[in-house]
């Protein structure tokens, strides 16, 4: 990956990303590294033609790019260009198309959480006790101002970055799914 964060500038870019399969494809390329359309189609039980189409759409809007890795001459290998995607929530909330695109992403995040919970429950009996102790899910309902909630986000992501750097070479580190929300009621 060449850049850290992709800042989406307009609704068209966001709509290009906000397709359930495209979200999955981009996530897989970020988590598992470069792959071909055939490999991704097998992973998500889709056909290669549809997967290729969605990969080309992601590439058209700069979310992914072809790799320079050697391989079969007709098999393009794709990689994510950015580690994260971010957007201006006020700009996206300003139109029906923007709100719907954000809603698609939110629903995909919920599905990811549900999949992660099912996977954890299926593997729980095989996990070391320190992973069982560290794992969890929780919820809080607190009173905050918008300024405080923004401060919470900034501190949270900064601390996550510190911990990722700290654990980069740790032999017992694993990929961990962390999904958080901060929504006014």
């Amino acid at each position: 990956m060449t850049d850290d964060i992709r800042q989406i500038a307009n609704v068209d870019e966001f709509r290009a990303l906000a397709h359930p399969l495209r979200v999955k494809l981009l996530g897989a390329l970020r988590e598992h590294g470069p792959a071909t359309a055939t490999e991704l189609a097998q992973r998500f039980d889709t056909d290669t033609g549809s997967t290729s189409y969605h990969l080309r759409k992601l590439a058209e809007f700069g979310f992914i790019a072809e790799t320079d890795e050697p391989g079969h001459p007709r098999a393009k290998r794709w990689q994510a260009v950015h580690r994260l995607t971010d957007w201006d929530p006020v700009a996206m909330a300003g139109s029906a198309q923007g709100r719907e695109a954000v809603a698609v992403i939110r629903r995909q995040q919920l599905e990811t959480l549900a999949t992660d919970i099912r996977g954890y429950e299926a593997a729980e009996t095989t996990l070391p006790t320190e992973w069982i102790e560290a794992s969890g899910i929780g919820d809080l309902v607190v009173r905050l101002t918008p300024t405080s909630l923004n401060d919470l986000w900034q501190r949270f992501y900064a601390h996550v970055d510190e911990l990722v750097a700290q654990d980069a070479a740790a032999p017992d580190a694993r990929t961990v799914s962390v999904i958080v929300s901060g929504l006014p009621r």
Side-chain angles (χ1 to χ4, degrees), residues 6-66:
R6 165 66 186 275
Q7 188 70 37
I8 294 178
N10 62 56
V11 173
D12 290 336
E13 288 178 321
F14 203 88
R15 288 180 60 210
L17 176 63
H19 181 282
L21 182 56
R22 291 181 200 156
V23 171
K24 289 178 184 178
L25 295 171
L26 181 58
L29 292 172
R30 285 178 174 164
E31 183 177 352
H32 303 290
T36 65
T38 301
E39 292 165 345
L40 292 165
Q42 290 170 346
R43 176 179 300 228
F44 296 112
D45 196 28
T46 62
D47 66 85
T48 303
S50 174
T51 303
S52 290
Y53 169 79
H54 289 294
L55 287 167
R56 287 191 306 274
K57 275 297 185 190
L58 288 169
E60 178 183 335
F61 284 88
F63 293 102
I64 66 171
E66 286 185 58

Side-chain angles (χ1 to χ4, degrees), residues 110-183:
L110 285 172
E111 180 54 38
T112 298
L113 177 59
T115 299
D116 290 344
I117 289 169
R118 288 189 296 270
Y120 173 82
E121 289 170 347
E124 191 170 22
T125 60
T126 65
L127 290 172
T129 56
E130 60 268 16
W131 275 106
I132 294 171
E133 183 180 18
S135 300
I137 188 168
D139 61 289
L140 299 170
V141 178
V142 297
R143 280 184 58 85
L144 297 174
T145 63
T147 301
S148 293
L149 185 55
N150 279 321
D151 184 45
L152 176 63
W153 285 118
Q154 290 171 357
R155 290 181 189 207
F156 173 80
Y157 284 112
H159 192 57
V160 168
D161 289 343
E162 290 171 12
L163 295 173
V164 167
Q166 170 188 300
D167 294 349
D172 60 338
R174 292 188 182 196
T175 299
V176 176
S177 175
V178 178
I179 299 174
V180 296
S181 71
L183 306 170

